[in-house]
């Protein structure tokens, strides 16, 4: 490959680095089938032990990670430990295959049972990676996962499973994946860990193991053989005032993340994702249990307003105690606030528990519903909130339909919060997790900015503040555009909060408005980004 050919993708983080490539491309190949050398009972027992030791090791590794990664890993480990998996492995064991082969066959069968569903399949490939790890342990072979243990490397892979991300040590200093978009699992985890990455990077697997590359997330690219001088300069804006132009809050999903957020300059919480607390819960928590958890989160959270989102279960975030039938299109299925009609008791208990935790802590709390698309739903949510004693009622704006009817929400809501992750996927009809559609979900899409402007205008008519809590707000330059469009607050993962706040301290309202008009009139995401950069570079 010529040194001058650069690979384009979606950057995560703002600092670039030069490093050597560690190619993880081969880690996905299945283990070779082998016959057992022990008796059936002994082999079965050995497999049970291999599963238990590997799971416990992985659980230990995951415990040292950020809570986003460890929650994802825990959901997978629970499946691997399930006795049904061993049952699926039994026929192969009885036919004389070794535990590693039997486990792999069981996982293949499990995958077939899951059908064609893309979302299930992405979980299955994560499970397969864990299966290979158990198989290698079982055979006493070198671990299937070939991650660097010393030196400093930029990891290159087709995509990364939670198993792989959970095992990153200090030797992994950057990440490049062929698949994944700006809101993919890999991007969210790299952002949470402050690891620069370029995801959805076409041609990543053509990079040679050991070769040097420039990882340039600010420029959304990887330059083989490139030097650090070539990196897209992060725009350093000198502070013009003590406070950012608009309020910057943190996005959290647990008390631990609340404590992390409290170490940043975040002025409160823009999105508390309550479902994160329950991704592995098989039984519905009682009202008292919920209240205790919310109380802990409220006490840990940074000073300022806290915006709690009621459970956003379903689709890519299944919650075991709120089951839905198998759906052809889960992102268009029973999810978000739609769950409140299916599970009214939980919806009611959650609102009462939040109200109880507000009373106990005295925090300033607004509560919003995810995924609403009609006035009736908003009316229903507002009435549930009022019955529970909640007065600050808001909604997430993440479906195109709700935008059109925003003027009809007068008196029903006291704030709006734009979920740009889902809003992008529904506006562009492009699955937010789809590996080949990441450019539709770019935060720089002019079509997205134009919809955000419509929402801001509607918020003005309603007389309510409008925030952005999707990943768009984690990009400092996009945050400036959002401020220029008239957005009142943005929120982002704790690792991005300080960068976003300092960018917003370095611009006047007038500059932000210039950036917004450039972004609004652009005809491509690339043009929007380069015109905004040009305005800020000349400051
Ligand atoms: C969003 O959709 O932008 C959002 C913040 O919600 P989530 O990513 O949790 O779906
Ligand atoms: Mg959403």
């Amino acid at each position: 490959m010529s040194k001058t050919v650069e690979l384009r993708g979606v950057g995560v983080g703002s600092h670039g680095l030069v490093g050597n490539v560690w190619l993880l491309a081969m880690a996905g190949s299945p283990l070779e089938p082998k016959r057992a050398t022990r008796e059936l009972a002994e082999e079965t027992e050995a497999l049970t032990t291999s599963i238990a030791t590997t799971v416990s090791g992985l659980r230990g590794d995951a415990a040292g990670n950020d809570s986003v990664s460890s929650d994802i890993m825990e959901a997978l480990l629970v499946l691997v430990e399930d006795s049904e998996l061993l049952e699926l492995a039994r026929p192969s064991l009885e036919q004389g295959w070794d535990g590693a082969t039997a486990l792999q066959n069981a996982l293949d069968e499990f995958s077939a049972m899951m059908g064609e569903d893309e979302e299930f399949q992405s979980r299955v490939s994560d499970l397969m990676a864990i299966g290979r790890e158990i198989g290698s342990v079982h055979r006493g072979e070198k671990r299937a996962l070939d991650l660097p243990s010393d030196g400093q490397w930029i990891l290159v892979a087709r995509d990364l499973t939670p198993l792989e991300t959970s095992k990153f040590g200090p030797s992994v200093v950057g990440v490049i994946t062929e698949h994944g978009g700006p809101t993919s699992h890999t991007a969210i985890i790299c952002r949470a860990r402050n690891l620069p990455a370029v995801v959805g990077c076409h041609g990543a697997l053509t990079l040679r193991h050991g070769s040097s590359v420039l990882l340039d997330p600010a420029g959304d690219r990887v330059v083989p053989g490139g030097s650090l001088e070539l990196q897209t300069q992060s725009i350093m804006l000198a502070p013009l005032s003590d406070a950012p132009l608009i309020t910057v809050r943190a996005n959290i999903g647990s008390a631990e993340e609340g404590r992390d957020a409290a170490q940043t300059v975040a002025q409160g919480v823009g999105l508390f994702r309550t479902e994160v607390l329950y991704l592995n819960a098989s039984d519905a928590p009682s009202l008292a249990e919920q209240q205790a958890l919310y109380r802990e989160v409220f006490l840990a959270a940074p000073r300022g307003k806290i915006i709690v989102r009621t459970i956003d279960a379903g689709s890519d975030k299944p919650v075991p105690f709120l089951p839905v039938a198998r759906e052809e299109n889960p992102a268009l299925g029973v999810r978000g606030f739609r769950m409140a009609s299916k599970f009214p008791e939980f919806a009611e208990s959650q609102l009462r528990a939040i109200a109880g935790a507000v009373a106990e802590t005295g925090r300033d709390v607004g509560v919003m519903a995810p995924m609403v698309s009609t006035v009736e739903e908003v009316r229903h949510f507002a009435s549930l909130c009022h019955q529970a004693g909640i007065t600050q009622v808001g909604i997430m704006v993440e479906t195109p339909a709700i935008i059109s009817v925003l003027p009809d929400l007068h008196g029903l809501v006291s704030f709006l919060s734009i979920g740009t992750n889902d809003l992008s996927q529904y506006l562009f009809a492009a699955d937010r997790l789809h590996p080949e559609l990441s450019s539709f979900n770019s935060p720089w899409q002019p079509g997205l900015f134009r919809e955000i402007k419509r929402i801001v205008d509607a918020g003005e008519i309603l007389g309510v503040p409008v925030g952005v809590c999707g990943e768009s707000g984690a990009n400092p330059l996009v945050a400036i555009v959002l401020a220029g469009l008239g957005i009142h607050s943005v929120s982002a993962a704790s690792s991005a909060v300080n960068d976003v706040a300092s960018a917003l301290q370095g611009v006047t309202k007038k500059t932000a408005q210039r950036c917004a008009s450039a972004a609004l009139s652009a005809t491509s995401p690339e043009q929007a980004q380069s015109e905004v950069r040009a305005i800020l570079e000349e400051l």
Side-chain angles (χ1 to χ4, degrees):
M1 174 177 296
S2 143
K3 283 190 172 189
T4 51
V5 177
E6 60 180 45
L7 308 178
R8 309 287 314 175
V10 178
V12 176
S14 48
H15 67 280
L17 68 100
V18 169
N20 293 326
V21 164
W22 183 284
L23 199 57
L24 203 66
M26 294 316 291
S29 43
L31 296 175
E32 202 188 306
K34 278 194 187 161
R35 308 295 296 179
T37 52
R38 291 174 276 214
E39 290 301 315
L40 173 63
E42 218 187 315
E43 188 62 17
T44 309
E45 167 132 23
L47 176 60
T48 314
T49 312
S50 307
I51 294 176
T53 40
T54 315
V55 164
S56 128
L58 293 175
R59 201 164 263 140
D61 290 345
N65 284 326
D66 58 289
S67 58
V68 179
S69 327
S70 51
D71 287 344
I72 292 172
M73 180 55 112
E74 184 56 31
L76 293 167
L77 294 181
V78 167
L79 288 176
V80 174
E81 280 179 319
D82 195 320
S83 55
E84 270 183 40
L85 194 60
L86 206 57
E87 281 310 307
L88 287 177
R90 200 167 295 282
S92 303
L93 288 165
E94 284 168 357
Q95 287 159 20
W97 294 106
D98 80 338
T101 314
L103 182 65
Q104 199 156 279
N105 292 345
L107 287 168
D108 283 340
E109 196 174 326
F110 188 46
S111 158
M113 281 159 55
M114 296 272 210
E116 287 303 306
D117 185 294
E118 207 174 289
E119 191 199 324
F120 279 132
Q121 286 307 325
S122 71
R123 290 185 131 219
V124 167
S125 65
D126 296 343
L127 279 177
M128 294 293 189
I130 296 178
R132 284 193 294 277
E133 184 78 352
I134 296 171
S136 311
V137 169
H138 183 76
R139 288 180 180 170
E141 290 171 352
K142 188 171 157 295
R143 308 292 284 257
L145 256 191
D146 190 21
L147 287 172
S149 56
D150 54 25
Q152 298 214 312
W153 298 89
I154 296 177
L155 208 69
V156 178
R158 186 176 308 281
D159 205 354
L160 288 165
T161 64
L163 171 67
E164 287 149 350
T165 50
S166 77
K167 287 173 152 274
F168 285 2
S171 296
V172 177
V173 292
V175 168
I176 303 170
T177 59
E178 178 106 18
H179 286 181
T183 58
S184 64
H185 158 74
T186 304
I188 289 173
I189 284 177
C190 287
R191 196 170 289 117
R193 301 238 192 121
N194 222 356
L195 267 182
V198 174
V199 299
C201 180
H202 300 291
L205 295 179
T206 62
L207 293 168
R208 270 182 302 109
H209 185 79
S211 63
S212 169
V213 295
L214 165 67
L215 180 63
D216 183 21
D220 292 323
R221 62 184 190 151
V222 171
V223 187
S227 64
L228 210 50
E229 291 88 73
L230 285 180
Q231 80 164 304
T232 310
Q233 289 309 315
S234 302
I235 298 178
M236 302 304 276
L237 299 164
L240 298 176
S241 71
D242 292 344
L245 190 57
I246 57 173
T247 305
V248 180
R249 300 190 176 119
N251 289 348
I252 64 169
S254 63
E256 191 191 333
E257 287 183 13
R259 283 185 279 278
D260 290 345
Q263 305 300 314
T264 70
V265 299
Q267 296 169 275
V269 170
L271 170 62
F272 166 23
R273 290 182 161 101
T274 55
E275 66 280 0
V276 173
L277 299 172
Y278 303 118
L279 291 177
N280 299 317
S282 40
D283 298 316
S286 68
L287 192 152
E289 284 165 341
Q290 290 184 67
Q291 185 166 326
L293 271 180
Y294 303 148
R295 177 177 177 276
E296 195 193 343
V297 174
F298 292 176
L299 290 175
R303 266 186 291 165
K305 185 184 272 302
I306 301 174
I307 298 180
V308 182
R309 176 173 75 185
T310 55
I311 200 154
D312 187 19
S315 189
D316 55 336
K317 290 176 286 194
V319 167
F321 64 81
L322 301 176
V324 288
R326 195 184 168 291
E327 296 172 317
E328 282 302 323
N329 285 308
L332 306 181
V334 181
R335 57 165 306 200
F337 185 63
R338 294 168 190 180
M339 285 280 183
S341 301
K342 200 169 163 64
F343 300 99
E345 275 172 31
F346 180 76
E348 201 181 303
S349 77
Q350 180 170 38
L351 290 170
R352 292 199 187 281
I354 295 168
V358 173
E360 277 188 285
T361 59
R363 296 286 314 238
D364 172 15
V365 173
V367 182
M368 64 182 178
M371 281 288 302
V372 288
S373 40
T374 65
V375 179
E376 286 80 2
E377 283 177 302
V378 182
R379 208 172 273 134
H380 180 194
F381 179 64
S383 101
L384 291 176
C385 285
H386 295 148
Q387 281 162 29
I390 290 164
T391 49
Q392 296 186 51
V393 178
I395 55 160
M396 291 201 59
V397 181
E398 46 186 358
T399 63
I402 201 70
I403 301 177
S404 316
V405 297
L406 284 175
D408 298 340
L409 301 186
H410 210 270
L412 289 176
V413 289
S414 53
F415 65 93
L416 302 173
S417 180
I418 307 177
T420 47
N421 308 339
D422 276 314
L423 183 57
S424 296
Q425 83 164 338
Y426 297 127
L427 272 179
F428 295 91
D431 182 345
R432 62 192 267 187
L433 301 176
H434 197 296
E436 284 160 37
L437 303 178
S438 54
S439 62
F440 288 103
N441 289 305
S442 160
W444 289 101
Q445 280 289 358
L448 176 64
F449 288 134
R450 291 179 204 182
E451 288 304 308
I452 293 175
K453 179 77 176 78
R454 281 181 70 201
I455 302 166
V456 168
D457 292 345
E460 255 165 45
I461 295 170
L462 294 174
V464 301
V466 182
V468 169
C469 64
E471 295 292 316
S472 290
N475 179 316
L477 303 193
V478 175
I480 292 174
V481 174
L482 295 174
L485 288 172
I487 289 290
H488 298 88
S489 62
V490 287
S491 59
S494 293
S495 61
V497 162
N498 287 358
D499 283 351
V500 170
S502 65
L504 286 166
Q505 253 174 285
V507 285
T508 59
K509 192 166 179 190
K510 205 161 155 221
T511 305
Q513 284 170 339
R514 272 183 68 205
C515 292
S517 8
L520 282 175
S521 53
T523 53
S524 70
E526 292 75 22
Q527 188 192 355
Q529 186 174 11
S530 71
E531 291 197 5
V532 168
R533 287 188 69 89
I535 294 171
L536 297 173
E537 266 159 7
E538 81 190 22
L539 288 180

